[in-house]
Amino acid sequence: MTQDVFIYDHVRTPRGKGRPDGALHPITPIQLAAQVLQALRERNALDPAQIEDVGLGVVMPVGEQGADIARAALLMAGYGDGVVGYQLNRFCTSSLDTLKMGFGLVASGQADAVIGGGVESMSRVPIGCDGGAVYTDPAVGRQYPYIPNGVAADLMAALDGVDRGAVDAYAVESQRRAATAQAEGRFDASLLPVRDFLGRVVLAKDEANRPGTTLQDLAKLKPAFAGAGAQGYHAIVLQRYPHLAHIEPIHTGGNSSGIVDGACAMLLGSRDYGVRNGLRPRARIVGAASCADEPLLSLGGPMPATERLLKRCGLAIGDIDLFEVNEAFSVVPMRYARHFDIDPARINANGGAIALGHPLGATGAMLTGTLLDELERRGAGLGLVTLCAAAGQSTAMAIERV
């Protein structure tokens, strides 16, 4: 027996530049996580005793982001002693997977209300610092060589016949859409200004985007992954794809996702939970699916994940009004639109990670919240969110505005 699962609210921090001079660098990851959890509790007058599980996506779960940061953040956020928390790492899909897990708990009757979300302070806990066999064990590398995601993005572009001008044009449009959304206040209802320990606001809006970016600006940037390709990664992938003559490095810092800090939290619950607590549901989770694809290509998972999700839910691609497809690199949503023959205007309507940044462990739930806000703004019905993750993995989720 299953029951409907609803999204009741969501909140996120602004995305801060993931550098020592970024506004959120002085704020520890646990403070970021605690602030969004506290805001979600206060905005909805939550009774912590009714929250049965809390998950936070964390892609670098070491150092300041290790030791089950979710449980400690809940204690700091005033949830009391009785709320359990866990951290989850499936690379870039991590926070979307906390929503998927929460969806399963509530749908199956194992919980009445849960929270999903994520946190990543990329300025304080750098990408790649967690190590791991995929990077360091020669035995693993001989069988499944690790391919940097940027090299995989250039490979995808080569397979699709996409050139530098096209990926730059996509990036310019992402910047334009994000600038419009920010100027029109489309993010404001869900944004939580981040404060320091004195209570002073250190960041109230996303700071990594670059309004006014032009094709001429982007054309000046050098390919970011040419060096990695020349070190042998191009040779590895060309063994798998021998019909390619070569791989042209075309992705740069301007047409790839930005390194940022940020956190988010989303409240899920049953219908009865909302009725008991006087909460109005904002969306129903229709379904979710995860899958994996060819690991050397690495970024191709959103297509099969979406196909699995649509089949499971009895939907067609034309039933979906709006899409959020994480802009890990320009070529990813470009391939997605082409594969499903989707009007690009329906994908990432308010820009994406190229403009706003990609706080690894938090992005999936952030995109779900952005999708929900835009469905409400337009009065649209169905939305779908999906992300690629390293080694060919992906998760997709469909939601319906209530």
Side-chain angles (χ1 to χ4, degrees):
M1 178 178 177
T2 62
Q3 60 181 336
D4 285 338
V5 182
F6 297 96
I7 300 173
Y8 284 99
D9 197 16
H10 72 95
V11 63
R12 73 168 176 91
T13 70
R15 297 170 178 91
K17 295 177 183 177
R19 309 187 308 233
D21 62 348
L24 296 184
H25 177 69
I27 312 300
T28 64
I30 197 167
Q31 290 172 331
L32 291 176
Q35 288 190 37
V36 292
L37 289 169
Q38 180 179 348
L40 193 68
R41 176 176 63 83
E42 293 176 349
R43 280 164 54 126
N44 298 280
L46 297 184
D47 174 7
Q50 298 184 51
I51 305 300
E52 297 180 69
D53 210 351
V54 176
L56 293 180
V58 187
V59 174
M60 296 297 137
V62 295
E64 292 182 312
Q65 291 179 172
D68 191 3
I69 190 174
R71 169 63 171 164
L74 285 162
L75 293 171
M76 291 186 66
Y79 280 68
D81 298 341
V83 184
V84 295
Y86 65 92
Q87 62 187 34
L88 184 152
N89 177 18
R90 191 184 277 158
F91 300 120
C92 300
T93 67
S94 297
S95 61
L96 186 58
D97 282 311
T98 68
L99 302 183
K100 180 189 173 192
M101 292 179 70
F103 166 58
L105 287 173
V106 177
S108 63
Q110 297 180 76
D112 213 24
V114 300
I115 293 171
V119 60
E120 205 80 36
S121 180
M122 300 181 75
S123 70
R124 299 177 67 99
V125 187
I127 187 170
C129 68
D130 60 335
V134 69
Y135 309 114
T136 61
D137 188 334
V140 175
R142 281 193 296 271
Q143 188 170 0
Y144 297 106
Y146 168 74
I147 301 300
N149 283 341
V151 174
D154 288 335
L155 169 63
M156 183 179 285
L159 291 169
D160 292 356
V162 174
D163 63 16
R164 172 70 180 269
V167 292
D168 280 352
Y170 182 93
V172 168
E173 178 62 10
S174 180
Q175 294 284 355
R176 186 196 68 79
R177 293 183 186 188
T180 298
Q182 194 172 64
E184 294 182 358
R186 298 182 192 178
F187 303 136
D188 291 358
S190 304
L191 270 180
L192 171 71
V194 176
R195 299 177 182 273
D196 64 15
F197 71 98
L198 294 176
R200 301 171 300 191
V201 172
V202 296
L203 188 64
K205 67 177 184 178
D206 299 304
E207 71 167 349
N209 50 314
R210 300 176 297 277
T213 297
T214 66
L215 280 172
Q216 292 73 25
D217 296 329
L218 297 185
K220 299 173 184 176
L221 301 178
K222 294 181 179 180
F225 307 101
Q231 290 172 359
Y233 291 112
H234 282 172
I236 291 172
V237 297
L238 287 174
Q239 289 178 344
R240 174 64 175 79
Y241 298 95
H243 63 283
L244 293 175
H246 73 289
I247 297 170
E248 183 70 27
I250 63 172
H251 283 90
T252 71
N255 55 43
S256 306
S257 55
I259 294 173
V260 292
D261 304 335
C264 63
M266 179 172 283
L267 175 65
L268 311 180
S270 66
R271 187 184 302 275
D272 286 346
Y273 170 77
V275 171
R276 289 198 313 271
N277 291 278
L279 298 175
R280 180 184 67 84
R282 297 175 59 186
R284 179 179 70 91
I285 298 180
V286 180
S290 297
C291 73
D293 200 14
E294 205 278 281
L296 295 189
L297 186 56
S298 183
L299 309 176
M303 280 66 72
T306 295
E307 289 164 351
R308 178 175 290 181
L309 171 63
L310 294 174
K311 182 178 181 180
R312 177 170 295 163
C313 298
L315 295 170
I317 201 73
D319 296 327
I320 308 299
D321 297 303
L322 293 172
F323 298 82
E324 286 290 328
V325 181
N326 188 38
E327 294 175 357
F329 303 89
S330 286
V331 73
V332 176
M334 292 173 69
R335 170 177 271 208
Y336 191 91
R338 185 166 51 253
H339 179 86
F340 291 110
D341 192 23
I342 302 169
D343 180 354
R346 294 165 59 199
I347 301 177
N348 302 344
N350 294 317
I354 289 171
L356 299 166
H358 177 19
L360 304 176
T363 302
M366 281 190 176
L367 294 183
T368 307
T370 298
L371 178 64
L372 173 55
D373 288 346
E374 188 63 13
L375 289 171
E376 290 178 336
R377 190 181 75 85
R378 297 186 181 206
L382 285 169
L384 188 150
V385 56
T386 185
L387 302 88
C388 59
Q393 302 178 99
S394 182
T395 294
M397 176 175 284
I399 65 173
E400 179 182 30
R401 182 180 63 87
V402 175

